[in-house]
Amino acid sequence: MGMPASQVTDAAQRAWQRGSRFDNPFRTLYPLLALLLDFAGPFFILGRLNRVSHLSAGDFDRFFDRMMNHRFTLFRAILALLLGPLMEMLTEEKNVPPNPPHPLKRVRPRVVHPKEIPNNEFDVVVIGSGAGGAPVAWDLTRRGFRIAIVEKGGFAEMESAPRILEKHYLLQGMSASLYGGITLVMAGSAVGGTTVVNSGTCLRPLPECLERWEELTGIPFSSGLLDPWMDLAEKRIGVSKPSAAITSLSSKIFQKGLSAIGRNEVYPLPRNAPDCQGSGRCCFLCPTGAKLGTDRAFLVEAVEKGMSLFDRSRAIQISEKENGVIVEIETVDGKKLIRSKQLVLSAGALATPGLIRRNRLGSHGSLAGQNLKIHPATKVLAYFPSLSNNGHGVPQGLGYRPPELPRVTLEGIHLPKSVIGPMLSKAGKRFAWWISQSEHLVSFGLFVRDRQTGRVQQFGDSPPWIHYRLHPDDAKEIGAGLLMIAEAFFAAGAERVLLPAVDLPNEPATLHELKKLRPEDFIPRRLITSGFHPQGTAGISRVVDGDLRLFGSDRISVCDASVFPDSPGVNPMVTIMGLSLRLAERLAQEIR
């Protein structure tokens, strides 16, 4: 891979250990695919009867370059799975920030497991502790109701970025669709849900998106229906605009370049970190505790007031009865039944549909899992040899919406070196070069409000299976956005950019080379994308009613991004919290 053999060998041994910690089915596939690639890969890719481990340095580079740019998505996916752990080890962080004491640990005596509870009956049980579950649980607890949260994840503690991916992202950050291209779909799995590992960006739904919601449901969302609840949510999580003093180097350079090409409408992105110090690690835990995810903004007070929190616990069976709901949960201490008058499903758009379908909840369960929407996202890297970028500053502090691309939003991004590696669209010596220049790289990202819908399925205890194909028009608009970002970086003085695409000249060194590319060149199978903000899989007017009650149920509600009728056009955290607090008002009236 263009690195010293001893370094690669040592990293390969540790990578093998990393692969053994994958969730299934990847843990089982990893050694089998590694052997298959080693023995058969050179024959299919280079036409040679040789093992990958016996290839010369030149052939080794050619082999991986052809694999990375192969027209068949499956080949690229196999390579990504096998090389991911190796790239992690070759680029792992040396200095991990210290772990800040979590305020929930101060109230830990009230954070209990079922065997410690004298009474197993609650007014409301909430499954999931993220943006949908924690606010409703907090509001009902402060009103005096007996509430319990069941959370599959554990407490997130500071570690290296790859370890955070491993421990606190759904399926270790490897949930993906391979239909027409590789799209990773990211979601958190921890006390606090995705709010613990998201960018912290806090925006309200776009007006045109709320109008679309109203068209689809007949509910007057565009008239300010959610405003009072979003006001409360924003106050609770401390939404404010970051100080210019902690603007990241990437954002400063991008803004400079954007202005140079006549685009001056950048805007600061409000965030839920009023005391932010610009540590640059929002998606891999805030090392100062400044980001107010639901774990800090809602759960601490709720636990102090008597809410029960079952962390590292999983709902395995749910049944609705005339007088309540029975939930069987599996914890570190074994299985237990808990009962409640009402149940709220807030496991996220990827997991909630499986709970509905497996337990045959409501009357429209067959529709749960359909209409999956995401925000396909990606980024551009740019090389500035005269600059030194230590990652300090708010990663996602600035935004820009190109007037000619109304579905595209450009937002800042910064990733640690140990996470950039597996996402690079280069192999061999070029991969080694880009990694070696990591301190001189800046980046900016984008996402598109997608036209496409997919679906998510879950069979038994297996991970969610995602069927999603990037729409060609979305791919084209992503391409236009990428070229715009790259042009801005060149205008700011970049000597080279790296585009997240394969089977294209993705490493232009001049603006002239960049101009040879067109948006139409960026077709779905060529793009390297992630899908953020999964949503829509239990939508209002399809699976739940306007009050978020599951159709055909008297006692079960759903509250997470799965209930969105369509995309909100922005990072969805505040929208979900607004829906959650509105739901709390309704449940408080009904339980009485």
Side-chain angles (χ1 to χ4, degrees), residues 249-270:
L249 179 62
S250 290
S251 291
K252 290 177 181 177
I253 290 176
F254 177 71
Q255 184 174 10
K256 174 184 175 183
L258 206 62
S259 178
I261 61 175
R263 296 175 179 269
N264 298 293
E265 299 82 13
V266 296
Y267 49 87
L269 293 169

Side-chain angles (χ1 to χ4, degrees), residues 378-393:
T378 190
K379 66 187 181 305
V380 176
L381 294 176
Y383 172 56
F384 289 80
S386 62
L387 300 176
S388 179
N389 187 8
N390 60 8
H392 181 77

Side-chain angles (χ1 to χ4, degrees), residues 86-154:
L86 179 60
M87 291 181 180
E88 277 185 19
M89 300 307 154
L90 289 170
T91 58
E92 61 184 338
E93 294 169 271
K94 303 301 182 185
N95 299 310
V96 178
N99 190 47
H102 199 292
L104 267 173
K105 291 187 175 180
R106 174 170 50 84
V107 294
R108 183 67 192 181
R110 288 182 180 269
V111 183
V112 295
H113 286 291
K115 70 175 185 179
E116 301 166 345
I117 301 172
N119 186 343
N120 296 327
E121 294 190 2
F122 299 89
D123 293 311
V124 181
V125 168
V126 181
I127 298 178
S129 63
V136 65
W138 164 78
D139 197 0
L140 291 172
T141 300
R142 68 173 184 156
R143 294 171 189 255
F145 296 103
R146 189 167 188 200
I147 309 300
I149 283 184
V150 178
E151 169 56 56
K152 184 177 180 180

Side-chain angles (χ1 to χ4, degrees), residues 204-241:
R204 297 196 178 194
L206 298 178
E208 59 266 32
C209 293
L210 290 180
E211 290 173 3
R212 175 61 177 161
W213 285 24
E214 191 165 328
E215 290 176 10
L216 292 171
T217 66
I219 300 169
F221 285 106
S222 64
S223 64
L225 179 68
L226 294 178
D227 286 354
W229 317 116
M230 292 192 292
D231 289 342
L232 176 57
E234 290 175 343
K235 180 179 180 180
R236 190 72 197 173
I237 61 178
V239 175
S240 60
K241 293 181 179 178

